[in-house]
Structure formats: C-alpha cells, structure tokens
Amino acid sequence: MFIAAMFAVTLAACIVKTFSTGPRLTGTCEGACDHYIECKPGHPAEAKTRCRTECPDVFSDEDSLRGFESLSCKDTLEYVDGATPRAALKR
C-alpha cells in the first residue's frame, strides 16, 4: 500500500512538472510572434515586425493563436515560411 501511494505521488509530481515547464500559451499575437522569432534562426527584427503586422489577419481567435504557439519550431517555421524548397534529383 505504501509503495502504491509513493508511486502515485511521484507520478503526480512528474505530471505537474511537465505542465509547468511547457511553453506558455498566451493566445495573443505578441506571444505567437515571440514563439516564431524564438524558432527563427538569427531572430531577425524584421521578421518580428512582419509577424506583428500580419498576425491579426491570419489568426481570428485566442484558440488558434494558442494552437500556433504550441507547434514545434519545425512546424512553426514551415507554417509561416513554407516548406523548404528542394532541388529535383537527377536520374
């Protein structure tokens, strides 16, 4: 019984730690743009300016902004900048 109780406490601590250390989802354009710039190599200032200008036209509600903020960096950059162009392979 004691072991089961300790297991439950340990599991609960892990779950709380996972949720408390994840990304902060603001549901705002500022938060979404901060997330994008953190993912963008070099963190260019012009990209942040463009993001803040275009964000209100792209996202219509807090839920969609939170969804964007929760994307991985790879998916974030692909969503905003598009897929990386690939050269055709020679046969």
Side-chain angles (χ1 to χ4, degrees):
M1 178 77 164
F2 177 75
I3 293 174
M6 291 304 295
F7 179 74
V9 169
T10 303
L11 182 61
C14 290
I15 291 171
V16 169
K17 181 168 177 59
T18 299
F19 286 119
S20 66
T21 59
R24 183 171 169 254
L25 305 178
T26 65
T28 65
C29 279
E30 184 171 342
C33 290
D34 287 346
H35 173 63
Y36 169 65
I37 295 305
E38 286 176 19
C39 293
K40 186 95 171 143
H43 314 294
E46 64 274 2
K48 189 167 194 169
T49 302
R50 181 175 57 95
C51 180
R52 289 189 177 186
T53 301
E54 295 176 3
C55 179
D57 295 331
V58 175
F59 297 104
S60 60
D61 59 51
E62 292 180 10
D63 288 337
S64 60
L65 285 160
R66 283 188 195 97
F68 176 80
E69 289 176 285
S70 69
L71 292 174
S72 69
C73 279
K74 177 185 175 291
D75 290 340
T76 296
L77 294 174
E78 188 172 308
Y79 181 86
V80 176
D81 299 334
T84 306
R86 296 180 186 178
L89 297 174
K90 289 185 178 182
R91 294 183 189 201

